[in-house]
Amino acid sequence: SILQSPSFDPDEQLCGIGRCTPRALQICNNAKGYLVFYSLLSVFQGIIVNGLINVSISTIEKRYDLSSSLTGVISASYDISFSVLCLFISFYGERGHKPRWLALSSFLIALGALIFSLPHFTSGPYTYGEKAEDLCPVPLLGGQTMPCRRGSRSKLSNYFYVFLLGQFLLGAGGTPLYTLGTTFIDDSVPKHQASVYIGIGYAMSLLGPAIGYVLGGQLLNVYVDFNRDISVDLTPEDPRWVGAWWIAFVICSFSTCLLVAPFSYFPKHLPGTSKIRAEKISEAHHNGKQMCEYTGRSIKDFLMILWMLLRNPVLMYLVIAAALEALVATGFATFLPKFIENQFGFTSSYSATLGGLVLVPGAAIGQIISGTLISKLQMNCKTIIKFIIATCTLALLLNMVFAFAKCGNEPFAGVSETYNGTGMLSNLTAPCNAHCRCLRSDFLPICGADEVQYFSPCYAGCTAVVPQKHGTKHYSNCSCVVNPVIEIENTFHGATSGKCKSKCTVLPWFLSFFFFTVVFTFMAVTPTTVAILRCVPENHRSFALGVHMLFLRIVGTIPGPILFGISIDHSCTLWSIDRCGRKGACWTYSNTKMAYLLFGISACSKAISLIFTITSYVLYKPPPDIVADSKTQDQTCSSVRL
């Protein structure tokens, strides 16, 4: 039995709680059993943090009157929480009971998801505008004489802090998962198998966003207040539509709670861990000085180990390079659906689905391929860094797709062009609609028979509406539509509800090139993690991952969504303005400006990341015993068993 084995370690206990160790549970008391539950937690964490939140961000922005800058802060708040806690959890959890840390992780992720969904239950029904403003002229009773209620928007905006709290809890739950959870895998399997296990775990964490994107995207086709007795005359194609973004958060919250018990049952170390540790050979970076391995748990030891790791140039250059790549990856994960929606004219749900179909499979394929290659070729630390350089170079070249696969905006009266030569740009009011008393508080875009988009039927000067099947509407007698190009049934100088269809044809090329950009970008993720684990002393691996995650957040995933959000806001050409004159979310963007801004950010970040990776390759020096062994072997890769 395990207890009678001569290599048995007291910490390598049976699976269970105290003396309750049923034989059935021992089936899971191995690396593969742990990997199953680790992967499940990664999946649920990925569904919530990298799937549902990214899919719902545009909907939340619209529902709660938030700008892209504020939703970028919401997205980044997960990483702020992660950054604050990762060093302490990775240091004190290194010699603690890692599986029980993951039980706490499961509970915090479940609680964070539940809190993130709370605004739906407390904010009241969604209001999307009044029919009185649809046609010209707007009645004085329902239009400009309506009082300005100063507290209305600020009340909705206050839910920003509830979203922050939910993200903080999700960040606290994610910290043990990607520091202690990963190190526990490296502890429990032979060195040459670690990259495969880590690659599978990371790939499974990307299955979560895939499910989140698809599930969240489909739920956006369900009206947000379907659980309330409210009649709705909107369709998902209407820009005012808000989908049921909150449902999946509630489901995932209760599902993640189910993982608390399994992680609590695992022992501190899996059977055979002591033997595996004894067989591993250190590849820690050697700078010619004697390496000191601190084993205490005091604040002094914490600071000494932190200082030692910060002085490891190979570790720090790899960490900064990975952080810059994460800046780009997180920015696109957050705003790629919005980019597709505005560039190619799709609905938010369809754009989210397209984004998920490109981002998630590409990232998963990249992680699995790289993990398998490292294991099969038994790469040493130096070769792994060289592999990272190759993949990052290809990703940088493929990133050029943003400079070419862009679409111009469809004509928009008062925004991108005048009203048939009258009026001025950036002014929705023109002589043809001046008598209509139109308001800018609600965006009801229509596409005129002249193939020009108008802000609303009122701003197009339309005086009659003809309801159609499937929730669409035709408008007639539009005074601003003077040169019809197409014929709209049962109308004179008419228009149809919704935005004008985009004539852009480069979407297949964009998705194809961007897919391979994602593949090669994520082919560097697993190798970077393995290289970090190899280039530091054995006892400091969890703390090194904590340092890695700290910089990944501070330099990468925290500023990434904020930087992308600010850039997207700078490309806005039409803001939502309520009756009180206060600016809300953006309705329309300059597609060309958006594409160039995102290309500039991503290309610069990737180029600097590549420079740091090359520098780490040049500076890395293996331990003297590894160098000596390599000189007596025909091939370098046979000197170290990975």
Side-chain angles (χ1 to χ4, degrees), residues 290-527:
Q290 183 66 34
M291 299 286 288
C292 297
E293 295 195 24
Y294 300 92
T295 57
R297 303 183 69 174
S298 66
I299 294 297
K300 180 180 178 181
D301 292 315
F302 173 89
L303 295 175
M304 293 298 290
I305 297 173
L306 178 60
W307 177 242
M308 186 189 76
L309 292 176
L310 292 176
R311 293 180 61 191
N312 185 328
V314 177
L315 171 66
M316 294 313 299
Y317 281 124
L318 285 174
V319 162
I320 295 174
L324 291 170
E325 291 287 350
L327 183 149
V328 178
T330 312
F332 278 122
T334 306
F335 291 108
L336 182 64
K338 170 169 274 200
F339 179 83
I340 295 174
E341 178 183 351
N342 287 278
Q343 289 285 331
F344 306 107
F346 295 117
T347 63
S348 58
S349 61
Y350 187 67
S351 300
T353 302
L354 282 179
L357 290 175
V358 172
L359 283 171
V360 179
I365 289 170
Q367 304 236 47
I368 293 174
I369 290 175
S370 60
T372 304
L373 285 175
I374 292 172
S375 178
K376 294 294 183 183
L377 301 178
Q378 298 192 12
M379 297 182 188
N380 58 28
C381 191
K382 190 97 172 177
T383 310
I384 290 173
I385 299 175
K386 191 188 298 184
F387 179 81
I388 297 170
I389 293 172
T391 59
C392 289
T393 302
L394 289 171
L396 175 60
L397 295 175
L398 289 168
N399 187 68
M400 295 289 290
V401 66
F402 280 96
F404 304 105
K406 62 182 184 301
C407 301
N409 293 81
E410 297 301 313
F412 196 140
V415 177
S416 61
E417 64 176 53
T418 60
Y419 286 81
N420 195 36
T422 64
M424 296 183 297
L425 291 178
S426 303
N427 188 355
L428 295 176
T429 302
C432 63
N433 61 29
H435 64 288
C436 295
R437 302 185 296 272
C438 304
L439 298 178
R440 279 187 60 177
S441 54
D442 296 299
F443 186 39
L444 305 168
I446 62 170
C447 185
D450 54 359
E451 295 189 335
V452 174
Q453 183 173 308
Y454 296 87
F455 184 86
S456 69
C458 180
Y459 276 104
C462 303
T463 60
V465 59
V466 184
Q468 304 293 312
K469 294 180 180 179
H470 310 296
T472 60
K473 297 177 182 178
H474 288 176
Y475 297 90
S476 185
N477 301 325
C478 303
S479 58
C480 295
V481 181
V482 293
N483 294 314
V485 177
I486 59 176
E487 183 177 343
I488 300 175
E489 186 180 1
N490 299 324
T491 66
F492 174 75
H493 287 259
T496 59
S497 58
K499 297 179 180 179
C500 293
K501 299 296 182 182
S502 173
K503 299 182 178 65
C504 187
T505 59
V506 299
L507 178 64
W509 290 103
F510 170 76
L511 293 179
S512 300
F513 276 88
F514 192 72
F515 173 80
F516 286 106
T517 304
V518 173
V519 169
F520 285 107
T521 296
F522 278 84
M523 279 183 72
V525 173
T526 300

Side-chain angles (χ1 to χ4, degrees), residues 216-234:
Q218 293 305 311
L219 288 175
L220 289 181
N221 288 318
V222 179
Y223 187 65
V224 63
D225 291 320
F226 78 95
N227 59 324
R228 296 178 172 126
D229 188 17
I230 296 174
S231 60
V232 180
D233 60 352
L234 295 181

Side-chain angles (χ1 to χ4, degrees), residues 324-325 327-328 332 392 395-397 399-400 402-403 564 596-610:
L324 291 170
E325 291 287 350
L327 183 149
V328 178
F332 278 122
C392 289
L396 175 60
L397 295 175
N399 187 68
M400 295 289 290
F402 280 96
F564 272 63
Y596 280 132
L597 283 171
L598 298 189
F599 167 71
I601 294 172
S602 57
C604 290
S605 298
K606 284 180 172 291
I608 298 172
S609 170
L610 184 60

Side-chain angles (χ1 to χ4, degrees), residues 45 49-50 76 78-84 86 171 174-175 178 323 326 547-560:
Q45 190 266 354
V49 175
N50 299 317
Y78 167 88
D79 301 300
I80 295 172
S81 172
F82 199 111
S83 301
V84 171
C86 66
T175 305
Y178 291 110
V547 172
H548 169 51
M549 292 298 175
L550 174 64
F551 278 86
L552 200 73
R553 265 64 191 176
I554 292 177
V555 180
T557 56
I558 291 176

Side-chain angles (χ1 to χ4, degrees), residues 23-268:
R23 183 179 297 274
L25 291 181
Q26 309 317 312
I27 298 174
C28 301
N29 197 19
N30 51 59
K32 292 181 180 178
Y34 170 80
L35 182 62
V36 169
F37 291 103
Y38 174 86
S39 298
L40 284 174
L41 181 56
S42 297
V43 167
F44 284 117
Q45 190 266 354
I47 289 175
I48 298 166
V49 175
N50 299 317
L52 296 177
I53 290 177
N54 292 337
V55 167
S56 306
I57 207 75
S58 294
T59 300
I60 291 172
E61 184 177 301
K62 188 187 305 179
R63 173 68 177 89
Y64 296 100
D65 281 337
L66 302 173
S67 67
S68 291
S69 303
L70 286 179
T71 51
V73 173
I74 292 173
S75 180
S77 58
Y78 167 88
D79 301 300
I80 295 172
S81 172
F82 199 111
S83 301
V84 171
L85 297 172
C86 66
L87 288 183
F88 298 100
I89 289 177
S90 61
F91 177 75
Y92 290 104
E94 170 67 44
R95 286 170 288 279
H97 198 300
K98 295 185 179 75
R100 288 183 185 168
W101 275 99
L102 294 193
L104 175 62
S105 172
S106 304
F107 174 75
L108 290 175
I109 290 172
L111 181 61
L114 188 62
I115 288 178
F116 200 89
S117 68
L118 282 182
H120 168 75
F121 300 100
T122 59
S123 59
Y126 169 57
T127 56
Y128 50 82
E130 301 151 359
K131 291 183 179 179
E133 297 182 21
D134 285 353
L135 300 176
C136 172
V138 173
L140 287 175
L141 181 61
Q144 293 173 334
T145 60
M146 184 171 289
C148 168
R149 286 177 284 184
R150 288 285 171 184
S152 58
R153 178 173 177 260
S154 60
K155 183 179 179 181
L156 280 179
S157 298
N158 285 337
Y159 284 106
F160 167 75
Y161 300 103
V162 179
F163 292 124
L164 282 186
L165 176 60
Q167 281 282 65
F168 285 149
L169 289 171
L170 290 169
T175 305
L177 176 63
Y178 291 110
T179 53
L180 304 177
T182 304
T183 311
F184 192 76
I185 292 176
D186 196 51
D187 285 340
S188 307
V189 297
K191 186 180 285 188
H192 69 278
Q193 295 180 12
S195 62
V196 176
Y197 276 76
I198 293 172
I200 292 173
Y202 280 4
M204 291 299 290
S205 71
L206 294 167
L207 177 61
I211 298 171
Y213 268 94
V214 175
L215 177 63
Q218 293 305 311
L219 288 175
L220 289 181
N221 288 318
V222 179
Y223 187 65
V224 63
D225 291 320
F226 78 95
N227 59 324
R228 296 178 172 126
D229 188 17
I230 296 174
S231 60
V232 180
D233 60 352
L234 295 181
T235 63
E237 288 73 28
D238 194 307
R240 298 171 297 165
W241 175 270
V242 170
W245 60 272
W246 55 273
I247 301 176
F249 285 97
V250 176
I251 296 172
C252 289
S253 174
F254 289 103
S255 300
T256 309
C257 262
L258 299 177
L259 295 175
V260 174
F263 280 115
S264 301
Y265 296 155
F266 276 101
K268 186 175 182 180

